Every structure is written in C-alpha cells, then in structure tokens.
Amino acid sequence: MAKDTVRYPDEVVEEIDTLVQDGMFESKSEFYRFSAEYVLTLINPDHDVKTFNFDEIKHELDISEEDHAKALGTDGGTFFLDAVITVRKHGLRGNYEAAERFIDTHYDSTDQECIILEELLGTYRNESA
C-alpha cells in the first residue's frame, strides 16, 4: 500500500477528528480512504473499490442513491462539466455577458477552472468576430 502526505486546513482536520471521536469512522485513515474511494466512484462509476467495508460504511453514513446522484450533478459528472455546458450554451447563443456573470459568480478569478472557462468563452467570441 502506498503512503501519501497531504495537507488539510486545520478546520477540516478538526471536523474529521470530531467524526472519528463520535465513532462515525474508526480512524482518520479510514475516513481518508473512504473519502478518496467515494470521490473516485463519483467520477468513474466503474471504479474498482479497494477500501475494506466501503459499502458498509456508505450504508452506515446513509448515503442514498439520490444523494449520490445529486453529488454527480445533472450530467452525471461534476459541477465543472455542468459549468462547461452552461458557458458553451451561452457562447453559442452569443450571450457573452451571461456567460461572464455565470463564471464570475461561481469561480474565483485565479481558479484554474475559471481560466479554462474564460478561454472556452473566448473561443466563441473569436468565432463570431
């Protein structure tokens, strides 16, 4: 098994500590393994889960299929993919200001995803020029 070192904000670690103290997870390691595997299943439904008792933990956390579907987003993917679709729709229709408003209200201007969405929008502007 590989070992990885990751830094988390203090507030996040405190919340995880509380979950472990409350018995929701046996250890921090269990929390981190479950969390990573859960996100991987959101991204790829065919992901082969390796975490021991994954389904049992998911059941104990009462994560319903409806909750799981909400986490995926309307397209079955991620919020970013939803954002790409939204920006593309506005761009195709020439609604550049609406696309800019969407990007500005959902992303910090220094976020990598923001920069990608602005580049995408720029391609629609260039095509119309």
Side-chain angles (χ1 to χ4, degrees):
M1 194 178 273
K3 185 175 180 178
D4 226 351
T5 302
V6 181
R7 295 188 180 276
Y8 292 95
D10 291 337
E11 298 80 17
V12 171
V13 174
E14 288 170 11
E15 287 188 43
I16 294 167
D17 286 340
T18 300
L19 292 173
V20 172
Q21 289 169 1
D22 291 346
M24 180 103 28
F25 291 91
E26 287 184 22
S27 66
K28 285 178 157 184
S29 293
E30 183 182 66
F31 173 86
Y32 293 124
R33 282 191 295 271
F34 174 82
S35 300
E37 293 268 34
Y38 184 71
V39 170
L40 290 171
T41 64
L42 291 175
I43 295 168
N44 176 9
D46 296 327
H47 170 70
D48 183 24
V49 175
K50 304 284 187 211
T51 299
F52 180 70
N53 288 340
F54 178 85
D55 290 327
E56 184 179 309
I57 295 169
K58 185 177 169 188
H59 178 74
E60 287 175 12
L61 294 174
D62 198 26
I63 300 173
S64 68
E65 290 305 314
E66 183 178 310
D67 293 333
H68 191 80
K70 285 180 188 175
L72 287 172
T74 58
D75 62 349
T78 64
F79 179 77
F80 179 67
L81 187 53
D82 284 337
V84 168
I85 292 167
T86 300
V87 170
R88 181 177 183 273
K89 285 179 184 178
H90 287 307
L92 287 171
R93 296 181 178 120
N95 296 332
Y96 308 126
E97 289 179 14
E100 287 173 346
R101 256 190 322 277
F102 174 82
I103 295 169
D104 291 344
T105 58
H106 291 89
Y107 293 93
D108 183 84
S109 63
T110 59
D111 286 349
Q112 185 177 26
E113 291 176 340
C114 176
I115 294 166
I116 293 168
L117 292 172
E118 288 175 344
E119 288 293 322
L120 174 64
L121 180 58
T123 62
Y124 292 106
R125 283 190 169 136
N126 291 340
E127 287 176 6
S128 70

